Amino acid sequence: MPAKNFASTRYSSLDQITTDNVKQLQLAWSFSTGVLRGHEAAPLVVGSTMYVVTPYPNLLYALDLSRPGAPLKWTYDPSPVLASQGVACCDLVNRGAAYWNGKIYYNTLDAHTVAVDSRSGKEVWKTKVGDINRGESITMAPLVVKGKVLVGNSGGEFGIRGWLTALDGESGKLAWRAYTTGPDKDVLIGPRFKPFYAQDRGKDLGVSTWPGDAWKIGGGGVWGWISYDPELDLIYYGTANPGPWNPDVRPGDNKFTAAMFARDPDTGEAIWTYQWSPHDLYDHDGVNELVLLDLPIDGQVRKVLVRPERNGYMYVLDRATGEVLSADPYGFITTSTGIDLKTGRPIAVPDKAPQTGKVVRGICPAAPGTKDWQPSSYSPRTKLLYVPHQNLCQDMEGTEANYIAGTPYVAAMVKMYAGPGGHRGELTAWDPVARKAVWKIKERFPVWSGTVVTAGDVVFYGTMEGWFKALDARTGKELWRFKTGSGIIGQPVVYRAPDGKQYVAVLSGVGGWAGAVVAGGLDIRDSSAALGFVNAMKDLPQATTKGGMLYAFALP
Amino acid sequence: MRLRFRRRADRRTGGLALALLLAAVASALSACEREERNFRGIPRAASTGMPPVRQTELQPGPPVRNAPAYGPYQENAYGVSQGKTLYNQFNCSGCHFQGGGGIGPPLMDADWIYGSRPENVFESITEGRPNGMPSYGGKIVNDQVWQLVAYVRSMSGLLRKDVAPGRSDDMQVRPQEQSTDKAKPVQSAIPKSAELP
């Protein structure tokens, strides 16, 4: 799985590459994907084979790690519908594949899930799970838990109705589907549902916290990360922004968008929920990674989940109950002054609420939040969380909303720019027990790549200019860097190859929402282009060009 | 109409009055020419017996000259303004934004994948295009499609400056269409999104 383990720590116990020898790291081999869109996936290593999923057209490459230069074994082409390119909000990305029981599972942009035989590259099954004519697409990496492939939809900018679906890993048949909005029977809320906060209890809140039938097109996709605790036997995942962005047309808390769920993986039943941003005003999807840790909190070890949330707060929740234990800012915030731990709600700044026909300036963090999809890593050695994120603010105006199925449903004009300091990216090493940043690295562009940390106390990440960097996990000191061909927005991975050596690999290939200006060839004269992200990235076309390439590094 | 009128006029007042009236009618008609109104809706190009809409310079045999560009509202400020409103209402702006692009390609630059002539743009909107452009044919009345076509062409400065919109009702995010320099259309090979390995 892309997140290394069910707890999503992205920690590798390999220790050949250390802070002392990492400066000798060199390129072992590379592989061109032939695709020019944003490469957000994590290469997946199973045995002696590496599997790489490309952005649309979602090719799956199998590379033979047992032979010099890792030659291509086979390619699988799912041939996604061309028109699906028209319903993907933010470039045509794919975040990777998962492995279970001899099969590679991943999702295609046109809302299908495929299972491919990991040896032969032959398709085992292909299931249509969504409909592009309703604005649904899929970009997330699935997670396989107890033989079920967990898959969620994208399309919060297209008026979709979000869901998480479990498919039987052997047959591809639908086991259960849990909607984000709607009546309790659709959200799979039953007698076992015990949310911690009073506001989340009540009948059919997924209907009553919306005006009329707005919940049917209210967004709340599930395009981010899923974690699993085998002891509690619960899966955890977040739900995306409500639609449209203009909040005036959807008064109410808009449950259960911009929230998270704990569910039983066998049945999908909801156990508890927590809403990060009730009645979200800023496209603050609640889909970021949930890192499951056992941490000493006030003198006792508790089972928690740590969440660097889009709204700017680093949350620590009790993962058995859903109680918020702490929530501290890890970036610059003007939209709220804190999280009320009694109610669990953010304390909003009314002046920063966007309205129809009124431009509100200085909204921080911007729509992609303090951190977007790009996953953090956690080292049990340093006890720090390595958080790749951005430093962006925006101006925003609500506009007229028109729902037309299969077309965007956003109703807002946005213009983003750098936050205080002028740098647009940061990498923060966060101590979740002391609840503070230990060190920070500033980057010119958003740090849109994931991070990975090793037992050699080295943190790897990439920049949108194309630098792949190694840092000392304790101090943040840069130890090594390599310039790849294009900007890096992928997830670096660490593995041991059949030759016994430790490798670190990453996909280079700029794009994603942040890199859409390059990947889509956009015109920088329009500040609102790509949902306003182009305004903050006008200099990216000078800094990098597109092109997907996999790089693998090792010690000599 | 005119014949009946003439007969009546002859009977009542004679030739001089008729001449005066005809002169008045003629001058009134010529004054109307700038803003032609069509109340019956405007058919799509292909159904009017017009030459085919071509996507390429290359023709087998001796080239047949293209018909003059066809498209109402290209010189009609009101129609372009309506097009701008429709552009947002039909969610064109959701993909192409205010011309810079995002999900769909930019519309304010010089690149045209499927042709820059009004009839090309009309076909793009109604037929849709394979790499993500939805087919709006039958979903928007043709008259409004032509207004959209005129507005889309104004985004890259292809319309006269006194016809292109000069202000926006929302947050200003780009130079006004009126002050956008004409981007000489360049044929672009394929959508940037469709570059397949």
Side-chain angles (χ1 to χ4, degrees):
Chain A
M1 62 197 83
K4 178 71 182 171
N5 45 43
F6 282 134
S8 305
T9 63
R10 294 175 187 265
Y11 169 76
S12 166
S13 55
L14 300 179
D15 57 5
Q16 284 177 12
I17 300 170
T18 66
T19 50
D20 290 330
N21 63 20
V22 67
K23 59 179 175 294
Q24 297 161 32
L25 208 58
Q26 60 189 42
L27 184 64
W29 52 270
S30 59
F31 172 77
S32 169
T33 65
V35 181
L36 300 179
R37 284 296 181 132
H39 286 60
E40 287 189 352
L44 185 69
V45 176
V46 181
S48 60
T49 308
M50 176 183 282
Y51 301 92
V52 181
V53 183
T54 73
Y56 173 88
N58 304 136
L59 303 176
L60 176 65
Y61 293 116
L63 306 175
D64 187 351
L65 299 178
S66 67
R67 292 166 59 198
L72 184 64
K73 285 166 89 170
W74 47 258
T75 306
Y76 167 74
D77 178 2
S79 300
V81 173
L82 272 71
S84 61
Q85 297 171 86
V87 293
C89 80
C90 314
D91 199 12
L92 313 175
V93 299
N94 187 290
R95 302 193 178 85
Y99 171 85
W100 179 76
N101 210 16
K103 289 177 280 296
I104 301 292
Y105 300 93
Y106 71 103
N107 300 306
T108 60
L109 193 66
D110 63 349
H112 287 68
T113 302
V114 294
V116 179
D117 185 291
S118 64
R119 286 178 186 278
S120 67
K122 296 275 177 285
E123 183 177 293
V124 179
W125 52 258
K126 182 174 184 177
T127 300
K128 182 182 176 187
V129 286
D131 180 2
I132 63 165
N133 275 310
R134 289 202 313 261
E136 290 176 304
S137 59
I138 306 188
T139 57
M140 57 94 79
L143 184 73
V144 187
V145 172
K146 297 166 88 177
K148 291 196 168 60
V149 188
L150 303 172
V151 175
N153 60 353
S154 305
E157 285 64 48
F158 283 80
I160 59 144
R161 183 183 177 202
W163 45 253
L164 179 74
T165 289
L167 302 171
D168 180 86
E170 295 295 355
S171 69
K173 292 210 164 52
L174 190 133
W176 51 261
R177 171 166 289 187
Y179 285 96
T180 300
T181 65
D184 285 353
K185 67 173 172 44
D186 292 0
V187 188
L188 303 189
I189 284 176
R192 292 173 67 194
F193 185 58
K194 301 267 187 302
F196 188 84
Y197 297 98
Q199 66 205 1
D200 296 319
R201 297 178 211 136
K203 192 174 158 43
D204 295 334
L205 292 179
V207 172
S208 63
T209 57
W210 294 86
D213 281 350
W215 56 270
K216 291 179 179 170
I217 53 171
V222 182
W223 58 269
W225 301 106
I226 308 167
S227 298
Y228 173 58
D229 180 339
E231 262 178 55
L232 293 172
D233 196 22
L234 292 176
I235 54 164
Y236 303 94
Y237 70 95
T239 62
N241 61 292
W245 286 16
N246 183 348
D248 284 354
V249 297
R250 45 175 174 81
D253 271 357
N254 308 140
K255 289 187 186 305
F256 294 89
T257 62
M260 69 159 289
F261 279 103
R263 293 187 185 272
D264 180 324
D266 295 317
T267 62
E269 283 170 286
I271 306 300
W272 59 262
T273 188
Y274 170 72
Q275 196 172 24
W276 317 103
S277 301
H279 186 61
D280 163 54
L281 303 176
Y282 310 109
D283 180 43
H284 285 167
D285 303 54
V287 300
N288 291 357
E289 71 278 17
L290 298 154
V291 185
L292 311 189
L293 304 174
D294 294 346
L295 295 179
I297 308 273
D298 298 331
Q300 77 183 89
V301 174
R302 296 186 68 165
K303 286 176 180 297
V304 302
L305 58 85
V306 180
R307 154 57 80 83
E309 167 53 26
R310 200 136 146 172
N311 66 12
Y313 295 92
M314 183 73 70
Y315 288 77
V316 179
L317 269 73
D318 182 316
R319 69 175 183 265
T321 64
E323 179 189 6
V324 179
L325 304 176
S326 64
D328 303 283
Y330 66 102
F332 182 68
I333 304 174
T334 62
T335 51
S336 61
T337 55
I339 306 296
D340 181 343
L341 293 185
K342 284 205 181 62
T343 62
R345 295 177 78 96
I347 304 156
V349 176
D351 283 355
K352 296 296 179 192
Q355 292 172 30
T356 306
K358 183 183 160 194
V359 181
V360 176
R361 303 191 191 275
I363 291 169
C364 313
T370 303
K371 196 184 82 64
D372 202 279
W373 74 280
Q374 64 273 45
S376 314
S377 55
Y378 176 83
S379 166
R381 290 169 51 86
T382 62
K383 304 201 180 332
L384 297 177
L385 187 72
Y386 301 96
V387 189
H389 62 105
Q390 54 269 2
N391 173 39
L392 296 173
C393 299
Q394 72 182 20
D395 299 345
M396 180 176 181
E397 177 195 354
T399 58
E400 191 184 26
N402 304 293
Y403 177 77
I404 305 171
T407 73
Y409 186 50
V410 173
M413 258 187 173
V414 170
K415 189 175 164 175
M416 299 181 206
Y417 40 87
H423 58 288
R424 284 155 281 178
E426 289 182 1
L427 196 156
T428 298
W430 183 269
D431 181 337
V433 175
R435 296 161 52 188
K436 63 179 176 52
V438 176
W439 50 260
K440 260 182 195 280
I441 304 275
K442 290 176 182 171
E443 288 286 353
R444 178 179 170 201
F445 295 113
V447 184
W448 208 256
S449 85
T451 66
V452 67
V453 60
T454 72
D457 290 341
V458 182
V459 179
F460 292 97
Y461 75 105
T463 73
M464 291 188 76
E465 293 104 318
W467 287 108
F468 189 48
K469 298 185 181 181
L471 305 178
D472 184 319
R474 294 184 191 276
T475 64
K477 186 177 172 242
E478 187 181 312
L479 303 172
W480 171 86
R481 59 160 73 184
F482 180 93
K483 184 68 161 61
T484 65
S486 175
I488 298 174
I489 58 162
Q491 306 159 51
V493 298
V494 173
Y495 65 94
R496 180 163 39 215
D499 63 7
K501 279 166 75 170
Q502 179 184 349
Y503 286 75
V504 53
V506 70
L507 277 164
S508 160
V510 84
W513 190 9
V517 63
V518 172
L522 308 184
D523 196 312
I524 60 171
R525 288 173 295 171
D526 177 3
S527 300
S528 73
L531 295 155
F533 217 140
V534 161
N535 193 56
M537 305 299 290
K538 288 184 170 176
D539 49 346
L540 188 65
Q542 269 89 57
T544 189
T545 53
K546 54 192 166 179
M549 183 82 107
L550 179 73
Y551 294 83
F553 302 91
L555 293 172
Chain B
M1 245 336 238
R2 258 174 74 203
L3 279 175
R4 220 184 314 150
F5 178 74
R6 188 200 285 182
R7 261 184 261 117
R8 247 185 301 158
D10 280 349
R11 215 166 37 233
R12 286 182 193 168
T13 57
L16 180 64
L18 171 69
L20 280 171
L21 262 167
L22 280 177
V25 168
S27 73
L29 281 175
S30 69
C32 280
E33 227 168 46
R34 201 172 67 83
E35 295 241 344
E36 190 185 337
R37 302 287 175 91
N38 187 325
F39 299 103
R40 282 177 301 183
I42 298 157
R44 59 181 293 209
S47 63
T48 57
M50 305 202 60
V53 179
R54 296 186 201 281
Q55 292 284 350
T56 172
E57 291 294 301
L58 188 62
Q59 295 177 31
V64 178
R65 262 186 61 195
N66 284 334
Y70 170 75
Y73 298 115
Q74 299 298 309
E75 302 207 333
N76 182 314
Y78 168 77
V80 179
S81 168
Q82 286 295 101
K84 180 166 181 160
T85 302
L86 295 167
Y87 178 84
N88 289 302
Q89 289 181 338
F90 280 110
N91 296 342
C92 311
S93 55
C95 286
H96 301 283
F97 295 89
Q98 300 305 310
I103 299 164
L107 299 176
M108 68 197 293
D109 64 6
D111 291 354
W112 292 88
I113 300 158
Y114 302 105
S116 65
R117 292 158 58 102
E119 54 275 40
N120 295 141
V121 184
F122 184 99
E123 304 269 307
S124 286
I125 295 171
T126 54
E127 290 183 356
R129 297 302 184 193
N131 289 294
M133 173 71 196
S135 165
Y136 278 89
K139 312 285 175 112
I140 309 180
V141 296
N142 285 347
D143 194 37
Q144 290 186 328
V145 177
W146 283 119
Q147 291 176 337
L148 279 165
V149 168
Y151 174 64
V152 165
R153 296 187 78 248
S154 81
M155 297 175 97
S156 55
L158 296 182
L159 301 194
R160 269 167 36 191
K161 289 200 186 297
D162 58 345
V163 171
R167 63 179 289 271
S168 294
D169 293 335
D170 295 302
M171 176 160 79
Q172 183 165 352
V173 291
R174 59 159 289 180
Q176 299 301 347
E177 294 82 352
Q178 202 170 66
S179 50
T180 301
D181 288 334
K182 180 176 176 175
K184 190 170 176 290
V186 173
Q187 191 175 25
S188 170
I190 46 169
K192 293 183 170 76
S193 58
E195 290 155 326
L196 304 183

